Amino acid sequence: MLSESSSFMKGVLLGGIFCVVVTLLGHVKIGHGTRARHHEHHHIQAPNKEEVLNLSEDERLELSQSIRVYCIVLVKPKDIGHWAAVRETWSKHCDKAEFYSSENVKVFDAVVLNTNDMWTMMRKAYKLTYERYKDEFNWFFLAYPTTFAIVENLKYFLLKKDPAQPYYIGHTMKSGDLEYVDGEGGIVLSIESLRRLSHVFEDSDKCPEQGGMIWKLSEDKQLAVCLKYTGVIAENAEDSEGKDVFNTKSVNALIKEAMASRPEQVVDGCCSDMAITFNGLSPNHMHVMMYGVYRLRPYGHTYSDALVFLPPAGSDND
């Protein structure tokens, strides 16, 4: 949700402080592919509050209902604790979330991929997702089991972006000439980008499943290579003030960094009020984050969000 002032950040910081307490206790170069049309920038921002307030009530409702996010979580049996935590916490806020596992695990339902290689897992997950859900969802969010996401903030970020355009969004990094989205912060693809990706999967010269130089890269870099051949470029997501919203570290780590570098402005130096992801959380910390983000509220404060993203039908989310 879009929160007044820094109310969201207060909740996240309180959650982060709880995390600290819990912790104390217990360079590839590739050819120039087709250039992306319509938006060639590498940094994109969330809408500011005024843009949303200027929309009519009907426009806000239509926009909020049009954004449908399908969440992909890549898991392995060793991740069973995180798997359970993600299943019980933030994934309930996706319009639909499914876990894609390297092998069958009797404890939880999952789409079994029968491979232990992360690139092959990612590739198969995206391929199956497009085949099954291309007509049902318009945005696709992929995360690792150590990632915590605030899905409402993701939907707000995507509010005025056209999924028919090739978006590839997250926390961007650079390796040689390759700009890619760091998987640890989560990866967002529009339906157009997923469509292009599914097509380039068929071209083994540009996007091989295994073998060759590409096989030596991490899965998030391999994804960027394949997408670049289709004209899709990585774009760093920022709030209206230019702060990153996809984080590859935990709130705990970011607060500690802010306290060391800007002790007089910990909140401003730490994180965006509209942060979408944090990474590197333990299962217990995920539950603490749920408390800080969704439940803890100061009595007497009112919240006048310009729009509301309703939970999926039948959801038991917080």
Side-chain angles (χ1 to χ4, degrees), residues 166-195:
Y167 283 102
Y168 165 40
I169 305 169
H171 182 96
T172 58
M173 302 288 287
K174 200 156 187 179
S175 177
D177 290 341
L178 180 68
E179 194 166 7
Y180 66 98
V181 171
D182 192 326
E184 292 190 347
I187 301 170
V188 176
L189 296 181
S190 63
I191 182 60
E192 173 58 19
S193 289
L194 187 59
R195 183 190 69 80

Side-chain angles (χ1 to χ4, degrees), residues 26 62 94 107 113 147 185 188 223 231 252 282 290:
E62 182 180 355
C94 304
V107 182
L113 301 174
T147 302
V188 176
L223 175 65
N252 184 2
S282 71
M290 285 297 288

Side-chain angles (χ1 to χ4, degrees), residues 5-22:
S5 185
S6 61
S7 57
F8 164 74
M9 197 59 225
K10 290 177 183 176
V12 170
L13 283 174
L14 284 168
I17 291 169
F18 273 102
C19 287
V20 173
V21 174
V22 172

Side-chain angles (χ1 to χ4, degrees), residues 1-271:
M1 295 181 186
L2 171 60
S3 300
E4 275 299 310
S5 185
S6 61
S7 57
F8 164 74
M9 197 59 225
K10 290 177 183 176
V12 170
L13 283 174
L14 284 168
I17 291 169
F18 273 102
C19 287
V20 173
V21 174
V22 172
T23 300
L24 291 175
L25 295 175
H27 181 36
V28 278
K29 295 185 179 182
I30 62 176
H32 300 287
T34 306
R35 299 185 68 188
R37 298 179 180 177
H38 303 299
H39 67 289
E40 298 178 351
H41 44 280
H42 296 269
H43 296 261
I44 53 176
Q45 293 189 330
N48 58 44
K49 184 168 63 178
E50 287 68 30
E51 287 182 277
V52 178
L53 291 174
N54 287 334
L55 297 172
S56 69
E57 189 171 338
D58 288 342
E59 286 175 318
R60 294 176 197 172
L61 180 62
E62 182 180 355
L63 278 172
S64 66
Q65 292 178 341
S66 68
I67 301 171
R68 291 183 52 75
V69 176
Y70 175 77
C71 297
I72 301 165
V73 186
L74 300 180
V75 292
K76 295 182 178 182
K78 67 180 179 64
D79 304 317
I80 196 72
H82 285 90
W83 186 343
V86 171
R87 183 172 175 268
E88 294 166 4
T89 58
W90 67 263
S91 67
K92 294 181 180 181
H93 292 246
C94 304
D95 290 292
K96 184 178 180 65
E98 287 189 300
F99 295 81
Y100 288 75
S101 176
S102 58
E103 60 188 83
N104 184 49
V105 176
K106 294 181 179 180
V107 182
F108 298 125
D109 291 333
V111 179
V112 180
L113 301 174
N114 293 314
T115 178
N116 201 49
D117 179 82
M118 287 300 295
W119 167 235
T120 307
M121 286 180 64
M122 182 180 285
R123 181 187 173 102
K124 285 187 173 183
Y126 275 133
K127 190 173 187 298
L128 288 170
T129 293
Y130 183 72
E131 291 171 355
R132 296 175 179 179
Y133 301 117
K134 61 184 177 182
D135 298 321
E136 189 173 346
F137 301 96
N138 45 19
W139 294 98
F140 302 86
F141 173 61
L142 182 142
Y144 297 151
T146 53
T147 302
F148 183 92
I150 300 96
V151 177
E152 292 83 356
N153 286 0
L154 171 58
K155 288 188 173 185
Y156 171 67
F157 181 86
L158 299 172
L159 193 62
K160 300 187 73 176
K161 294 171 179 59
D162 183 1
Q165 296 299 318
Y167 283 102
Y168 165 40
I169 305 169
H171 182 96
T172 58
M173 302 288 287
K174 200 156 187 179
S175 177
D177 290 341
L178 180 68
E179 194 166 7
Y180 66 98
V181 171
D182 192 326
E184 292 190 347
I187 301 170
V188 176
L189 296 181
S190 63
I191 182 60
E192 173 58 19
S193 289
L194 187 59
R195 183 190 69 80
R196 295 188 187 190
L197 182 64
S198 68
H199 289 168
V200 80
F201 280 158
E202 305 304 319
D203 189 333
S204 60
D205 291 329
K206 295 178 179 178
C207 190
E209 184 171 350
Q210 58 183 332
M213 179 180 65
I214 192 172
W215 192 244
K216 301 174 184 177
L217 301 177
S218 62
E219 67 277 4
D220 46 10
K221 292 177 185 177
Q222 291 168 344
L223 175 65
V225 171
C226 294
L227 286 170
K228 191 170 183 179
Y229 275 117
T230 73
V232 180
I233 58 173
E235 297 179 289
N236 193 67
E238 303 165 354
D239 66 13
S240 58
E241 297 179 355
K243 294 180 181 179
D244 288 341
V245 292
F246 287 84
N247 297 289
T248 58
K249 298 179 181 180
S250 66
V251 179
N252 184 2
L254 293 170
I255 290 174
K256 286 182 178 179
E257 289 179 3
M259 291 177 73
S261 60
R262 300 177 64 185
E264 73 287 354
Q265 290 183 308
V266 175
V267 174
D268 288 339
C270 166
C271 326

